Each structure stands twice: as structure tokens, then as C-alpha cells.
Amino acid sequence: MDSSSRRQAWVLPFALIAWLPGCSSPSAQRAPSSGAASVNPITIDSTEEQIRQAVGTARVGSRLTPKSWPNGARMAVCLSFDVDNELLQRANPLPVPLSVGEYGATTAVPRILDVLDRHNVPATFFIPAMSGMLHPEMVPAIVSRGRHEIGVHGWIHEFWPGIADAAEEQRLLTQSIEYMTKATGKRPAGVRAPSSGFSPHTFDLIRRAGFLYDSSLLAADEPYEIVSNGQPSGVVELPISEVGNDYVYYGETANGSLPSPDAVFAIYKAEFDLAYQERTMFILTQHPHVGGRRSRIVQLDRLIEYIKSKPDVWFATMEQVARYVKR
Ligand SMILES: [Zn+2]
């Protein structure tokens, strides 16, 4: 996005802002343009103190890559799936766009579960409560495998900075936690903000809700402790990357656009290879209705196969990694 369109985006009405971010590119997020929680921009007149305050909500603290991973592994691999399905079409809930997302539940999630079963590897699914409600068979199918984790991903995949009301944001987060606790029989240990949208209140709400870890930020290639306003928070960050996300390549229309899945595989492989050398971790982020299309899931299968061909890789849920690195 160029600077003039960025300025235009800044003044878009709130309803449109709430629609703009899919689970796409966190760096493309706009600040909310209305409401009490809008963020003070950093300007040439900002003092050092104001700048420090502006950037201080959720920063990189202690690096948490352990000296050794469990059983002498070189690194950890986390496969994560943001099960957004129909909820990226909230502003346009017509049958055809909804069907693009519905595919995630009817076809892609079962297909992903099959691939994971075949390789006998765990994964972490971040599921908005409403995705679970629309497809009540989905969460039990994931839970029944016995090795996957389910984390919080909002109520209806709402964009938290667009809510502009801490109490309302708190209510939605609490509802989402309660729904997932009931649906899975276990309180979720982790959260990924829908569209990686953190409002100025979000981190505090996450910390106070007692989450072990967050997986929304992008500030490193390894686990770290989040420092908030200068204070170590005790919350582990398992950072994602746009490079390791299917959405940025294929977009949300699943219309068969290039790049070819082979090219995307080559990028994921290169990301994994360096993580293997660095002995840290590799997190892949896929959206079932996007990455679960036939030509694309073949590449996921191939990627898992490639990773499994390397010795000493620990496939784990994000909760397992967070618990291990927090020790
Ligand atoms: Zn999402």
C-alpha cells in the first residue's frame, strides 16, 4: 500500500475498517478511525518518553529458545491453523462468498486432519467461537484425535482494535474463552488475535485472562517473553510470520491465483531449513479454507514429509512449546 492510500485508509468509516482485515497481513492493519481507543500517532513532535510509551505495550523481552529441546531435538515445529471459514465474509454474508469459507469446515478441516493423522503429528487450531457454533462437528473431530490443541481466536473473528471499548473487548474475550472451554473440555492455554489485531487494551486483557502464551506478534523467529510497558509479563510469545502464512500468497477468494503451490512450498522449506540450522522453532500458519484446497494441501503433506526426513525435530502443539520454554 502506498502512502496516499494509507492516508485514505485512515479515514475510512469504521464499518469498512472492521471488514478490511481478513486474516491477511498484520502489517496492513489500519488503526481504528473512530471511537475512544484510537491510538495517538507518533509524530515529529513526539518526545522520547511519548515514543517509548507508544511502542511499549508488547515488546520483546527475554529470548526463550532453550539450550536443548526435549529428547535432544534441534528445534520445535508447530503447525497452526486459523479456522476462520465463513467469518471473513461477515460484511458480505451472501451465499457465494460464505460458501468459500464453508469449504473450510466441510472439506478442508477433515482433509487436514487426515494428513496430520497420516503423519501422526500434532497441530494447534485457533478457532473463533462462531466457527465452532456453525459447524458443531468440527471441534469434536479435532479433539477426538487426542493430540491437537485448540486456542482462542475471537468470538466472530472480530478485529479488536476496531471495538474501541475495553469493556466490550473484555466481554468478547471472556465469552470466547468460556465457549472454547465448554466445547473442548479444557480451558485454552493460548490465543491468537483475529487478524493479529491488538488494541491498546488487548495485551492487558490477555495477561489478566491468564493465558500461557500469545501467538499474534511478529517480532522474532523464536519464543520470547512479552515485556509490557517495561515490565516482564510472564506471557510467552510464539511469534508468527507473514512469510509462513498461506493467506498472504493465496488470498481469501481461493480463486486459483498464482503463485503456484510449488513456489509457496519452496518458501516454507527455506524458512524451515534456516530454523533447523538456528535450532529455534518454525511455526506454519494455514487457513483451512485457503490452504486446504487440493493443490495446496498436497504441498503441506510434502512439507511435513520433508521435515520428518530431518533428524531431531520436535513436532509439538504451541502449548507444549510454551510450557517447555517457560520452565
Ligand atoms: Zn483468523
Side-chain angles (χ1 to χ4, degrees):
M1 176 182 276
D2 63 31
S3 63
S4 67
S5 60
R6 201 178 287 279
R7 271 197 301 280
Q8 280 170 6
W10 200 264
V11 296
L12 283 171
F14 169 69
L16 185 54
I17 292 292
W19 164 77
L20 277 171
C23 226
S24 55
S25 164
S27 64
Q29 284 174 12
R30 294 82 178 165
S33 64
S34 67
S38 51
V39 186
N40 289 327
I42 296 169
T43 70
I44 51 171
D45 297 321
S46 301
T47 64
E48 182 178 340
E49 180 54 27
Q50 287 167 332
I51 293 169
R52 287 192 187 286
Q53 217 170 6
V55 305
T57 307
R59 303 283 282 176
V60 177
S62 308
R63 310 294 182 123
L64 298 179
T65 297
K67 286 205 166 60
S68 65
W69 291 99
N71 302 317
R74 287 181 67 100
M75 66 173 299
V77 168
C78 293
L79 306 173
S80 72
F81 298 89
D82 294 357
V83 189
D84 301 337
N85 295 349
E86 295 97 325
L87 299 179
L88 302 186
Q89 303 296 341
R90 296 194 316 279
N92 188 30
L94 292 169
V96 172
L98 286 170
S99 72
V100 172
E102 192 178 7
Y103 179 90
T106 65
T107 307
V109 166
R111 188 176 275 159
I112 288 163
L113 289 173
D114 283 351
V115 169
L116 298 173
D117 282 350
R118 201 154 7 92
H119 291 288
N120 193 26
V121 292
T124 301
F125 294 79
F126 293 98
I127 308 182
M130 192 63 66
S131 271
M133 287 173 209
L134 289 175
H135 301 281
E137 73 292 350
M138 203 167 55
V139 167
I142 295 168
V143 171
S144 73
R145 266 46 183 205
R147 60 179 191 283
H148 302 314
E149 174 196 0
I150 295 184
V152 166
H153 198 43
W155 181 248
I156 56 163
H157 204 271
E158 67 281 5
F159 186 57
W160 291 337
I163 293 172
D165 178 336
E168 184 69 347
E169 198 182 325
Q170 162 97 71
R171 182 180 72 79
L172 291 162
L173 182 65
T174 303
Q175 268 182 216
S176 309
I177 296 168
E178 284 171 0
Y179 179 84
M180 276 307 156
T181 303
K182 217 169 144 189
T184 65
K186 173 182 178 299
R187 190 179 168 91
V191 57
R192 178 173 287 161
S195 305
S196 277
F198 263 39
S199 81
H201 319 294
T202 301
F203 181 67
D204 215 36
L205 295 177
I206 285 174
R207 188 180 53 76
R208 283 195 277 129
F211 281 107
L212 167 68
Y213 75 91
D214 170 73
S215 181
S216 314
L217 302 172
L218 303 93
D221 283 331
E222 61 180 322
Y224 60 88
E225 179 179 11
I226 295 176
V227 164
S228 186
N229 300 315
Q231 299 299 315
S233 69
V235 178
V236 174
E237 177 62 34
L238 300 179
I240 48 173
S241 75
E242 296 182 67
V243 180
N245 188 330
D246 56 353
Y247 207 96
V248 297
Y249 305 109
Y250 303 126
E252 126 180 357
T253 57
N255 62 2
S257 60
L258 293 169
S260 86
D262 278 312
V264 176
F265 170 83
I267 296 169
Y268 293 162
K269 176 179 172 297
E271 289 285 317
F272 166 79
D273 283 340
L274 194 54
Y276 190 77
Q277 276 181 43
E278 292 175 342
R279 296 174 172 268
T280 54
M281 74 181 303
F282 171 70
I283 298 177
L284 188 75
T285 302
Q286 302 282 290
H287 298 77
H289 74 286
V290 177
R293 291 270 157 188
R294 287 169 171 152
S295 55
R296 299 167 183 174
I297 194 127
V298 166
Q299 301 300 343
L300 176 66
D301 198 358
R302 187 178 160 206
L303 182 70
I304 296 173
E305 190 137 337
Y306 173 73
I307 293 173
K308 287 185 87 175
S309 75
K310 299 283 179 182
D312 303 326
V313 172
W314 183 40
F315 280 92
T317 64
M318 302 186 73
E319 178 179 0
Q320 288 166 338
V321 170
R323 289 208 188 283
Y324 188 79
V325 302
K326 197 175 173 177
R327 296 179 319 164

